[in-house]
């Protein structure tokens, strides 16, 4: 059996050794026994390799990689990326608090998001984030007012919506006209003129994010072309920019996708910037999934095997509340037995205990299973734990970081006390 749980660089951080699945030098079976399941397990080496694949592709160019931390916001993950030189793309006051707690440099933080509130703007202005990616005319006005009241100048980049098809799942496509994100590219010159006229703002950049899990170069190059035409137009109007932010979006391999290596995309982007006379612009990137997705698995234990007339179910102890992607997007995640059996395999739906038919993790997988077996749900490092909830009063899983032959608990499993913290009953 070949585990395709490798980082986009192909380094084998999750692999079988002597018939047992390991994360780096740590046995997943031992982790499951010691810490219980469901359990998120990340590989420190895989995180570093994924970031390095961007950094190596950017050598000799002025690039700031800002990890789209919505994909995985555990403090240990953030701290590791900060240590390795990454900046961060945040979308809320909560994410700002997390990056600060992780010791990140605010000058490497860009603040995205369509609904920033005044208190979030204030907090970001006070610590001095690199820039606000602003998404609407009323947000431009509000940000200027908030900055003026604080005696600050907010650096802004307008997130424009280039109306390109990212050719991905409609729920994770964000750069089309009908999406709520960004300012329509035709309206952008007007929005820039407004921003440039306001006392609390300094216009520094242009930004777009066209979608997620993108596996083709052309949507990026189409968006870049439109952005460069806009920058030309702005130049004639006397507005010059310092950076261009192409967003995140690079896909990973879940099943049989062929993801784009950052270098393949970036070589083309740098060539286009150079050819159009914008080689001096700083390039900002906001990758999320491609930095963490294949650096993590969700470990789960088979509770029951249930054979019905229509289907065979492997009922496991992880559920849609722990990993929402299959229920929400019908997303495909690989399922690997931690200790594969030599016995005959059966077609199983891998489902959780939550009272919803949408509570499935994988469908129609050929597996040889027995009760008590451990399974690793692959590619769970991005949009896994961060989207977990407590439906059916299920405590969220613990998170573990493996580092060589060591592991660290980077988030404890929630307890019943955590679940009811903050709740109170009516007086008698
Ligand atoms: N920057 C902005 C402004 C974004 O909205 C996003 C993701 C990113 C960067 C990072 O994009 P990435 O490199 O991860 O594709 N929950 C969905 C994905 C939603 C992505 C939303 N925006 C999923 O599980 O597939």
């Amino acid at each position: 059996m070949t585990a395709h749980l490798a980082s986009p660089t192909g380094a084998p951080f999750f692999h079988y050794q002597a018939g047992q699945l390991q994360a780096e030098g740590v046995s997943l079976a031992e982790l499951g026994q010691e810490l219980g399941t469901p359990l998120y397990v990340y590989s420190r080496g895989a995180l570093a390799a994924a970031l390095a694949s961007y950094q190596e592709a950017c050598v000799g160019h002025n690039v700031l990689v800002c990890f789209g931390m919505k994909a995985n916001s555990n403090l240990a993950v953030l701290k590791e990326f900060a240590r390795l030189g990454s900046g961060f793309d945040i979308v809320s006051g909560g994410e700002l608090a997390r990056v600060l707690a992780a010791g990140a440099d605010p000058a490497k933080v860009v603040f995205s998001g369509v609904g920033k509130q005044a208190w979030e703007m204030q907090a970001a202005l006070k610590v001095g984030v690199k820039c606000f990616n602003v998404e609407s005319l009323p947000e431009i006005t509000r940000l200027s007012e908030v900055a003026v009241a604080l005696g600050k100048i907010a650096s802004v980049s307008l997130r424009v919506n280039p109306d390109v098809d990212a050719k991905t799942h409609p729920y994770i496509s964000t750069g089309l006209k009908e999406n709520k994100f960004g300012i329509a590219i035709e309206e952008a010159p007007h929005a820039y003129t407004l921003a440039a006229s306001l006392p609390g703002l300094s216009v520094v950049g242009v930004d777009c994010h066209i979608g997620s899990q993108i596996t083709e170069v052309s949507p990026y190059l189409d968006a870049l072309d439109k952005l460069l035409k806009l920058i030309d137009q702005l130049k004639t109007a006397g507005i010059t920019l310092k950076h261009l932010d192409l967003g995140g979006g690079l896909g990973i391999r879940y099943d049989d996708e062929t993801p784009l290596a950052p270098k393949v995309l970036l070589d083309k982007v740098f060539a286009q910037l150079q050819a159009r006379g914008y080689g001096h612009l700083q390039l900002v990137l906001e990758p999320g999934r491609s930095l963490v997705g294949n650096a993590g698995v969700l470990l789960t234990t088979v509770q029951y095997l249930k054979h019905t007339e229509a289907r065979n179910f492997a009922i496991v102890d992880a559920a849609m509340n722990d990993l929402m992607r299959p229920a929400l997007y019908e997303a495909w995640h690989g399922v690997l037995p931690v200790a594969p059996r030599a016995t005959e395999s059966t077609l199983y739906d891998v489902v959780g205990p939550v009272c919803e038919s949408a509570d499935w993790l994988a469908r129609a997988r050929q597996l040889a299973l027995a009760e008590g077996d451990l399974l690793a749900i692959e590619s769970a490092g991005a949009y896994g734990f961060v989207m977990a909830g407590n439906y059916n009063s299920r405590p969220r899983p613990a998170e573990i970081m493996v580092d060589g032959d060591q592991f660290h608990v980077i988030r404890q499993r929630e307890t019943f006390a955590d679940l009811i913290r903050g709740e109170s009953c009516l007086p008698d």
Side-chain angles (χ1 to χ4, degrees):
M1 166 149 355
T2 46
H4 61 244
L5 217 171
S7 81
T9 56
F13 297 99
F14 293 83
H15 57 99
Y16 283 97
Q17 192 165 316
Q20 294 268 341
L21 189 59
Q22 300 212 156
E24 301 191 20
V26 173
S27 146
L28 290 180
E30 281 170 29
L31 270 188
Q33 265 147 31
E34 196 170 326
L35 299 162
T37 54
L39 188 70
Y40 275 98
V41 183
Y42 311 122
S43 150
R44 184 181 190 179
L47 295 176
L51 181 62
S53 71
Y54 276 90
Q55 290 170 331
E56 283 158 17
C58 295
V59 171
H61 296 274
N62 182 6
V63 180
L64 179 63
V65 176
C66 292
F67 171 47
M69 64 171 281
K70 63 173 73 67
N72 188 323
S73 58
N74 184 286
L75 282 187
V77 172
L78 302 181
K79 196 156 194 162
E80 185 62 2
F81 281 142
R83 193 182 69 79
L84 295 169
S86 178
F88 297 92
D89 166 47
I90 63 168
V91 289
S92 70
E95 288 194 349
L96 177 64
R98 276 184 178 274
V99 288
L100 295 176
D105 177 2
K108 289 186 178 175
V109 171
V110 297
F111 194 167
S112 303
V114 61
K116 298 176 203 78
Q117 298 178 49
W119 69 269
E120 295 176 305
M121 293 171 171
Q122 284 157 1
L125 281 165
K126 281 183 189 155
V127 298
V129 296
K130 175 181 169 66
C131 120
F132 292 81
N133 291 336
V134 176
E135 302 217 15
S136 65
L137 296 178
E139 190 193 341
I140 292 175
T141 315
R142 186 187 290 182
L143 180 59
S144 176
E145 286 164 6
V146 170
V148 167
L150 277 179
K152 305 256 183 200
I153 301 282
S155 295
V156 295
S157 171
L158 301 198
R159 174 168 176 183
V160 301
N161 185 335
D163 193 28
V164 299
D165 183 357
K167 299 175 188 154
T168 182
H169 191 289
Y171 278 20
I172 51 176
S173 186
T174 50
L176 282 170
K177 264 207 172 91
E178 51 265 45
N179 298 130
K180 70 177 174 184
F181 300 102
I183 296 169
I185 194 136
E186 311 80 55
E187 286 164 27
H190 166 62
Y192 271 98
T193 311
L194 171 67
S197 74
L198 294 178
L201 305 184
S202 162
V203 172
V204 295
V206 62
D207 164 49
C208 73
H209 175 83
I210 55 175
S212 200
Q213 186 57 16
I214 301 169
T215 52
E216 292 179 41
V217 179
S218 61
Y220 282 103
L221 296 184
D222 292 349
L224 180 60
D225 179 55
K226 292 190 173 186
L227 259 48
L228 292 177
K229 284 186 181 134
L230 171 64
I231 299 177
D232 287 339
Q233 239 180 306
L234 294 175
K235 205 156 70 177
T236 11
I239 299 173
T240 50
L241 306 182
K242 295 184 190 142
H243 77 246
L244 182 152
D245 181 338
L246 257 192
L250 274 190
I252 60 168
R253 182 172 173 197
Y254 285 97
D255 183 6
D256 55 2
E257 301 90 337
T258 314
L260 276 174
K263 187 162 170 44
V264 172
L265 171 66
L266 291 173
D267 279 351
K268 295 204 162 68
V269 169
F270 295 136
Q272 193 162 331
L273 285 172
Q274 205 67 46
R276 301 274 283 268
Y278 289 110
H280 62 283
L281 279 183
Q282 182 186 41
L283 182 69
V284 177
L285 300 168
E286 303 170 358
R289 189 191 314 268
S290 53
L291 289 183
V292 289
N294 273 336
V297 298
L298 174 61
L299 265 193
T300 183
T301 306
V302 176
Q303 296 296 312
Y304 300 103
L305 297 176
K306 178 169 172 175
H307 304 281
T308 70
E309 210 178 290
R311 293 272 169 96
N312 299 307
F313 296 102
I315 302 171
V316 299
D317 63 2
M320 64 187 284
N321 72 293
D322 303 306
L323 179 66
M324 207 198 264
R325 301 192 71 257
L328 196 55
Y329 315 115
E330 301 199 340
W332 198 99
H333 284 259
V335 176
L336 297 176
V338 167
R341 296 175 174 279
T343 49
E344 210 175 307
S345 66
T346 308
L347 207 57
Y348 279 108
D349 283 3
V350 180
V351 301
V354 162
C355 308
E356 299 268 354
S357 294
D359 181 26
W360 57 275
L361 298 172
R363 282 179 169 156
R365 303 300 168 84
Q366 204 65 48
L367 294 161
L369 295 178
E371 274 181 21
D373 279 4
L374 272 178
L375 298 175
I377 313 293
E378 296 184 276
S379 314
Y383 306 111
F385 184 89
V386 283
M387 291 173 72
N390 295 119
Y391 188 38
N392 281 202
S393 285
R394 291 170 48 82
R396 284 180 295 172
E399 293 175 285
I400 305 300
M401 180 79 76
V402 167
D403 182 15
D405 57 4
Q406 307 284 311
F407 70 87
H408 305 276
V409 178
I410 57 171
R411 193 180 208 275
Q412 289 176 1
R413 185 178 301 286
E414 279 181 338
T415 61
F416 178 64
D418 292 328
L419 289 187
I420 57 168
R421 190 162 61 90
E423 290 183 32
S424 45
C425 299
L426 297 178
D428 285 332

